[in-house]
Amino acid sequence: MLSIVLTTFVSTFLLIASVLFAVSLLRLNRLLDVVVAWGLAAFTHLVLVFQAANLLIRINDRTLILGLQAVLLLIIFGLWLRLGRPALLPDRPAFSPLRQFLNDSNNWPLLLLGIVLAGVLAIFLVLVYVVPPNNNDALQIHLARVLMWKQFGSYFPWETNRIWQVTFPVNAQLTYLWTILFTQSDHFVALIPYLAGLGSALLVYRLSREMGFEIRPAVLASMVWLAFPVVQLHLTSVRHDLISTWLMLIAFVYFYIWTLSHRVAHLLLSAVALGLVVGTNLSIAAYLPGLAIMVALFWLGRRVSLRQVFTWGAAAILAF
C-alpha cells in the first residue's frame, strides 16, 4: 500500500512539474488560457510517456514510466533554463470582471444555477470514485483492452473477437492506464472524462468572450453546456467522448483565437490538440470536414495565409 501511494505521488509530482515548466514556455497572459494549456500539456505528457514505453513493450512497468517522466521533466527544465526562466504562473491574474459579476445583484439567477450545478458536480465526483465503471462499451472494449495492455505490456494487436479492442485510437485509454497502473484500482479512471467535461465548459466561456459576448451570456453558455443531459451522463462515464470533445474544442477555439492574435502559443495549442484528438476517437472524423471548411474560409478572407495554414497542419501532424 505504501509503495502504491509513494509511486502515485512521485508520478503526479513529475507530471505537475513538467506541465508547469512546459506551459510557462508559451508565455500566455490570460489565466484561462494557462489553465487550458495545463490540461492539454498533462494529457500530452501522459500520451508521450506511455507511447515511448509501448515501443519498449513495457507499458505496464511503473519504474520505467517514472524514469521516462523524469527524463521528460529534465528536457523541459533544460529548455526552461535556456529560454530565460519564464514565470511558472501568470502575473497578477485579472479577477476584477469576476468580482463585478458576483457582486451584481441582477446575476442572481445565474448564481443560483451555478450553485445547483456545483452541487451536481460534487455528487458526480463522489460517483466517479465510488461507482465502478459499468458502461457496456467500457467493459467490452475500452477498459477491457486497458487491462490487456497492463497484462502484456503493450497495446500492439492481439487475437480477439472484439475487433474494436485493437482498432480504436489509444490516446484516451493511455491516460486511463496511468490511473490504473499507479493506484492499482479503477477508482480514478472516470476522473479523466470528468475533468475534460469541466475543461470543455471553460472553452465554451472562452470562445464566447472572444466573440464579443459579455460575461453574463458567456457564463450562461458554459453552464448550459454542462447542463446538457448528454454531457451530464458522460461526466461519470469512462467513455472517451468528452475527452475528444475537449480536445476538438481546444483545436477549434484556439485556431479562431490564433487568427486574431497570430501568436505562436495559440497556434501550438490548436495544432497539438488537433493531432491528439485524431488519435483519441474515430468519430472525430465527422467534424474534420467542417474544420477544413472553416480554415478555408479564414484563408479566403485573408485572416491567415496559406503558409500559416500549412504550418498549423504540419504542427498537428507532428503532434499526432
Side-chain angles (χ1 to χ4, degrees):
M1 180 65 181
L2 181 60
S3 64
I4 292 175
V5 174
L6 182 60
T7 54
T8 302
F9 173 80
V10 172
S11 180
T12 304
F13 171 79
L14 293 172
L15 173 64
I16 293 174
S18 296
V19 166
L20 288 176
F21 285 117
V23 172
S24 71
L25 300 178
L26 298 177
R27 303 179 190 272
L28 296 165
N29 299 320
R30 299 184 60 159
L31 178 60
L32 188 53
D33 291 343
V34 173
V35 172
V36 171
W38 282 343
L40 183 61
F43 189 84
T44 305
H45 174 102
L46 293 176
V47 170
L48 183 60
V49 165
F50 276 90
Q51 290 282 7
N54 182 71
L55 295 177
L56 301 173
I57 320 296
R58 292 175 62 186
I59 205 172
N60 56 355
D61 188 336
R62 288 188 293 175
T63 303
L64 176 65
I65 297 298
L66 291 175
L68 291 173
Q69 285 187 281
V71 170
L72 185 55
L73 173 58
L74 288 175
I75 293 172
I76 296 172
F77 182 70
L79 288 173
W80 181 77
L81 291 176
R82 187 174 180 83
L83 296 176
R85 303 183 181 186
L88 298 181
L89 298 173
D91 184 29
R92 296 182 181 179
F95 291 112
S96 54
L98 178 60
R99 293 194 191 98
Q100 293 174 6
F101 174 79
L102 294 175
N103 292 331
D104 189 345
S105 59
N106 293 323
N107 292 329
W108 69 265
L110 283 180
L111 294 176
L112 180 60
L113 177 59
I115 292 172
V116 172
L117 275 176
V120 171
L121 291 173
I123 295 172
F124 284 176
L125 192 57
V126 174
L127 294 178
V128 163
Y129 182 82
V130 174
V131 179
N134 51 50
N135 177 270
N136 187 50
D137 281 352
L139 297 180
Q140 295 190 27
I141 302 172
H142 304 306
L143 285 187
R145 64 178 185 157
V146 169
L147 295 179
M148 286 292 289
W149 302 346
K150 185 174 181 290
Q151 181 176 352
F152 293 107
S154 166
Y155 65 67
F156 291 134
W158 64 89
E159 291 187 11
T160 175
N161 292 326
R162 296 284 180 180
I163 190 65
W164 293 116
Q165 291 179 356
V166 293
T167 54
F168 257 122
V170 300
N171 286 349
Q173 282 72 44
L174 290 177
T175 64
Y176 296 176
L177 177 60
W178 176 65
T179 68
I180 293 174
L181 186 63
F182 281 94
T183 68
Q184 295 297 299
S185 75
D186 58 10
H187 285 298
F188 301 96
V189 176
L191 185 62
I192 309 295
Y194 178 89
L195 293 175
L198 297 183
S200 299
L202 291 178
L203 289 162
V204 171
Y205 172 83
R206 179 70 171 93
L207 179 61
S208 300
R209 292 288 286 157
E210 195 65 36
M211 294 178 70
F213 289 95
E214 297 296 329
I215 292 180
R216 187 183 301 174
V219 170
L220 177 61
S222 63
M223 287 184 178
V224 169
W225 165 263
L226 279 177
F228 281 143
V230 66
V231 175
Q232 297 249 324
L233 290 172
H234 277 82
L235 284 171
T236 57
S237 169
V238 296
R239 289 175 59 90
H240 54 217
D241 298 84
L242 275 182
I243 299 175
S244 58
T245 300
W246 167 66
L247 291 170
M248 192 64 188
L249 278 172
I250 295 177
F252 171 79
V253 170
Y254 282 93
F255 180 86
Y256 175 77
I257 294 174
W258 172 56
T259 63
L260 301 173
S261 70
H262 296 289
R263 289 196 59 193
V264 174
H266 296 147
L267 178 147
L268 288 176
L269 288 176
S270 176
V272 170
L274 179 61
L276 288 173
V277 75
V278 174
T280 299
N281 195 344
L282 291 174
S283 62
I284 211 66
Y287 299 94
L288 294 181
L291 185 63
I293 292 172
M294 183 191 74
V295 173
L297 290 175
F298 278 129
W299 171 63
L300 291 173
R302 301 182 183 275
R303 294 277 291 274
V304 291
S305 67
L306 193 59
R307 180 180 179 181
Q308 288 174 318
V309 171
F310 279 118
T311 301
W312 174 73
I317 292 173
L318 287 175
F320 174 74

